[in-house]
Amino acid sequence: MLPAFLIGQLARDIKYFGKSVGEVLLLDALERCYGLTGVVGGVAIVVEAINDHATAFYRRYGFESLSDGSDRRLYIPMKVVEKLYQREPVKRLPI
Protein backbone atom coordinates (compact mmCIF):
# COMPACT_ATOMS: atom_id res chain seq x y z
CA MET A 1 0.00 0.00 0.00
CA LEU A 2 1.26 3.48 -0.88
CA PRO A 3 0.28 6.81 0.70
CA ALA A 4 -2.26 8.82 -1.31
CA PHE A 5 -4.58 11.79 -0.93
CA LEU A 6 -8.33 11.18 -1.12
CA ILE A 7 -10.40 14.12 -2.29
CA GLY A 8 -14.13 14.30 -1.75
CA GLN A 9 -16.70 14.70 -4.47
CA LEU A 10 -16.63 18.07 -6.16
CA ALA A 11 -19.90 19.75 -7.06
CA ARG A 12 -21.08 23.04 -8.43
CA ASP A 13 -24.48 24.68 -8.67
CA ILE A 14 -26.29 24.09 -11.96
CA LYS A 15 -26.25 27.84 -12.66
CA TYR A 16 -22.47 27.55 -13.11
CA PHE A 17 -22.71 24.78 -15.71
CA GLY A 18 -20.33 25.44 -18.61
CA LYS A 19 -18.35 28.10 -16.73
CA SER A 20 -15.35 25.87 -15.87
CA VAL A 21 -16.09 25.99 -12.14
CA GLY A 22 -15.64 22.20 -11.86
CA GLU A 23 -12.26 22.50 -13.53
CA VAL A 24 -11.21 25.29 -11.17
CA LEU A 25 -12.31 23.27 -8.13
CA LEU A 26 -10.42 20.19 -9.30
CA LEU A 27 -7.25 22.08 -10.17
CA ASP A 28 -7.34 23.83 -6.80
CA ALA A 29 -7.68 20.47 -5.02
CA LEU A 30 -4.82 18.99 -7.06
CA GLU A 31 -2.63 22.00 -6.32
CA ARG A 32 -3.33 21.78 -2.58
CA CYS A 33 -2.48 18.07 -2.50
CA TYR A 34 0.65 18.63 -4.56
CA GLY A 35 1.72 21.41 -2.20
CA LEU A 36 1.45 19.05 0.77
CA THR A 37 3.57 16.25 -0.66
CA GLY A 38 6.71 17.63 0.96
CA VAL A 39 5.01 17.64 4.36
CA VAL A 40 2.82 14.55 4.50
CA GLY A 41 3.84 12.55 1.46
CA GLY A 42 1.48 11.00 -1.04
CA VAL A 43 2.30 9.47 -4.40
CA ALA A 44 -1.18 9.83 -5.91
CA ILE A 45 -4.59 11.46 -5.56
CA VAL A 46 -7.69 9.25 -5.43
CA VAL A 47 -11.31 10.17 -6.22
CA GLU A 48 -14.58 8.25 -6.27
CA ALA A 49 -16.60 9.47 -9.27
CA ILE A 50 -20.35 9.59 -8.63
CA ASN A 51 -21.40 8.68 -12.18
CA ASP A 52 -20.14 8.15 -15.74
CA HIS A 53 -20.17 11.89 -16.47
CA ALA A 54 -17.94 12.55 -13.46
CA THR A 55 -15.68 9.64 -14.45
CA ALA A 56 -15.20 11.17 -17.91
CA PHE A 57 -14.49 14.57 -16.32
CA TYR A 58 -11.69 13.16 -14.14
CA ARG A 59 -10.24 11.13 -17.01
CA ARG A 60 -9.80 14.33 -19.05
CA TYR A 61 -7.27 15.42 -16.42
CA GLY A 62 -5.27 12.20 -16.44
CA PHE A 63 -7.07 10.12 -13.79
CA GLU A 64 -6.98 6.35 -14.36
CA SER A 65 -8.97 3.46 -12.92
CA LEU A 66 -7.52 1.69 -9.91
CA SER A 67 -6.95 -2.00 -10.40
CA ASP A 68 -9.52 -2.89 -7.74
CA GLY A 69 -12.28 -3.60 -10.27
CA SER A 70 -14.16 -0.33 -9.69
CA ASP A 71 -14.67 1.81 -12.79
CA ARG A 72 -15.40 4.85 -10.65
CA ARG A 73 -12.49 4.75 -8.21
CA LEU A 74 -9.80 6.70 -10.01
CA TYR A 75 -6.32 7.95 -9.25
CA ILE A 76 -3.77 10.30 -10.72
CA PRO A 77 -0.05 9.86 -9.97
CA MET A 78 1.56 12.87 -8.31
CA LYS A 79 4.12 12.94 -11.14
CA VAL A 80 1.26 13.70 -13.57
CA VAL A 81 -0.01 16.46 -11.27
CA GLU A 82 3.48 17.92 -11.16
CA LYS A 83 3.50 18.08 -14.99
CA LEU A 84 0.11 19.85 -14.99
CA TYR A 85 1.59 22.69 -12.99
CA GLN A 86 4.69 22.93 -15.15
CA ARG A 87 2.48 23.53 -18.22
CA GLU A 88 -0.02 26.14 -17.13
CA PRO A 89 -0.96 28.18 -14.07
CA VAL A 90 -4.04 27.22 -12.11
CA LYS A 91 -7.22 29.13 -12.94
CA ARG A 92 -8.63 31.03 -9.98
CA LEU A 93 -12.22 31.80 -9.13
CA PRO A 94 -12.91 35.53 -8.97
CA ILE A 95 -13.69 36.48 -5.38
Side-chain angles (χ1 to χ4, degrees):
M1 214 181 250
L2 296 172
F5 293 92
L6 173 65
I7 57 175
Q9 294 176 352
L10 304 174
R12 47 105 186 106
D13 190 288
I14 193 70
K15 68 182 176 184
Y16 296 107
F17 181 79
K19 299 186 188 301
S20 298
V21 173
E23 177 185 33
V24 172
L25 290 171
L26 176 60
L27 293 177
D28 183 67
L30 295 179
E31 181 182 34
R32 289 171 188 263
C33 292
Y34 177 66
L36 289 171
T37 56
V39 178
V40 294
V43 297
I45 300 171
V46 177
V47 297
E48 182 86 30
I50 194 167
N51 56 32
D52 292 340
H53 180 75
T55 300
F57 170 79
Y58 288 117
R59 287 188 185 282
R60 284 195 303 269
Y61 292 91
F63 281 82
E64 305 171 27
S65 293
L66 282 173
S67 60
D68 65 354
S70 171
D71 290 338
R72 294 201 175 142
R73 188 169 298 128
L74 309 167
Y75 79 100
I76 186 170
M78 202 56 75
K79 296 228 182 253
V80 174
V81 175
E82 182 177 16
K83 289 178 185 176
L84 279 174
Y85 292 102
Q86 291 174 350
R87 279 196 314 212
E88 61 183 78
V90 175
K91 294 180 183 179
R92 299 287 180 194
L93 288 173
I95 297 176

